Amino acid sequence: MICLKDMKRIVVKVGTSTLTYENGKTNIKRMRELVRTICDFSNFGLEVALVTSGAIGIGVGKLGLCERPKDTPSRQAAACVGQCELMFMYDKFFQEYGNTVGQLLITKSDIEDKERGANLINAFEKIFLYGAIPIINENDSVAVEEIVYGDNDNLSAHVARLIAADLLIILTDTDGLFDKNPHTEEDAVLIPVVNEIDGSVFEIAEGKGSSRGTGGMFTKIQAAKLAGENGIPTIIMNGENPEDMYRLMEGRQVGTLFTV
Ligand code: GLU
């Protein structure tokens, strides 16, 4: 059983489809709820790292583009614009609830290079020591195709590993992992616990995510697998009402838990 009260450090990952409307504009209510919940967890004594997507999606909305660009320079440009807006909003909301945030824009090579990885860990530890909340995204404005994770699900698992988190929470637009695609199959049933991530789990998770984000369930399962290999359980749950994370404070079941 997972209970946040017994934990010290967690990673929360939130995706573009949770943070924005279809038109790419920020879902302010949801973002505020997410921030308020994280601030409350932080006041309780939990160290929380927030891995957030949304830079490209919000940039697309702000630049008035009709869809998420397919070519790298356009995506980089959208990310430049959107990341500013994203952090402006986070900074404002976290400040309202009395918390300070720090931005970490990471590329794959920062994590894979031993020395840079170690530097990153030092930075994280200092941010936590100072009582601030690290907000992480992939550095999409400089990362090009060959060297990107491309999805923040895998990035969030790497962050969880780097900071030795006790739990990874992935917020998404479904209630968790279903035995079939819940967007298309009415009789899809939620799987509450997965004890082993094998080929069959990946099979039911196949498919793309929303048109505004990347990923989908497949990359979330990859993330859960990577986290699990590092002794970190993962919960995939709906981000529609971020306050549902409070249920984890009381050890109640929510979403799909991937045990270790
Ligand atoms: N890093 C991308 C962004 O901020 C999103 C990647 C993803 O959707 O997982 O837009």
Side-chain angles (χ1 to χ4, degrees):
M1 185 49 71
I2 289 290
C3 183
L4 284 188
K5 281 189 182 143
D6 305 329
M7 297 185 174
K8 184 171 183 294
R9 186 176 280 183
I10 63 169
V11 173
V12 176
K13 186 263 166 180
V14 62
T16 306
S17 61
T18 302
L19 283 178
T20 62
Y21 292 107
E22 286 283 342
N23 61 9
K25 302 257 191 230
T26 316
N27 184 327
I28 294 175
K29 176 178 177 287
R30 205 170 281 162
M31 194 174 193
R32 183 187 284 278
E33 240 179 67
L34 170 71
V35 169
R36 196 169 51 212
T37 309
I38 292 175
C39 287
D40 211 14
F41 286 176
S42 162
N43 288 355
F44 170 79
L46 262 182
E47 290 174 336
V48 186
L50 174 63
V51 176
T52 184
S53 303
I56 297 174
I58 291 174
V60 166
K62 232 183 158 185
L63 291 169
L65 310 179
C66 42
E67 57 170 10
R68 194 181 168 91
K70 303 216 167 32
D71 65 295
T72 303
S74 307
R75 274 207 306 269
Q76 288 174 310
C80 292
V81 171
Q83 183 66 26
C84 293
E85 173 86 1
L86 192 61
M87 281 314 291
F88 172 75
M89 302 285 283
Y90 276 129
D91 198 35
K92 184 171 141 54
F93 287 147
F94 272 99
Q95 215 170 356
E96 272 181 33
Y97 297 103
N99 278 280
T100 300
V101 295
Q103 170 185 258
L104 286 117
L105 295 178
I106 299 179
T107 57
K108 196 174 187 178
S109 42
D110 294 323
I111 288 180
E112 286 182 353
D113 182 273
K114 225 173 156 203
E115 199 181 319
R116 280 154 74 184
N119 289 336
L120 253 182
I121 294 173
N122 293 340
F124 271 115
E125 291 304 332
K126 252 322 180 248
I127 295 168
F128 284 129
L129 193 73
Y130 288 149
I133 293 173
I135 300 184
I136 302 103
N137 195 357
E138 184 154 27
N139 196 350
D140 298 305
S141 40
V142 300
V144 290
E145 212 75 65
E146 308 75 47
I147 50 156
V148 291
Y149 286 118
D151 69 90
N152 277 359
D153 298 318
N154 277 289
L155 177 67
S156 68
H158 281 287
V159 169
R161 172 180 64 81
L162 277 181
I163 66 172
D166 300 305
L167 176 68
L168 169 62
I169 301 174
I170 298 181
L171 300 175
T172 186
D173 54 6
T174 59
D175 289 341
L177 179 67
F178 286 77
D179 61 346
K180 301 174 200 151
N181 185 343
H183 294 304
T184 52
E185 313 284 335
E186 253 179 42
D187 58 345
V189 177
L190 180 76
I191 303 169
V193 182
V194 174
N195 290 316
E196 201 196 334
I197 302 177
D198 53 18
S200 66
V201 177
F202 278 107
E203 246 164 60
I204 53 176
E206 219 116 31
K208 275 301 265 172
S210 77
S211 57
R212 286 162 297 135
T214 55
M217 196 48 82
F218 193 82
T219 52
K220 289 171 183 55
I221 304 298
Q222 284 179 326
K225 191 166 172 57
L226 178 67
E229 284 163 1
N230 288 279
I232 304 162
T234 297
I235 287 178
I236 298 178
M237 60 179 280
N238 207 320
E240 199 176 344
N241 299 300
E243 289 182 353
D244 286 348
M245 284 191 288
Y246 276 113
R247 289 201 228 156
L248 299 170
M249 270 284 185
E250 292 133 32
R252 284 163 59 197
Q253 203 271 323
V254 51
T256 301
L257 165 67
F258 297 80
T259 60
V260 288

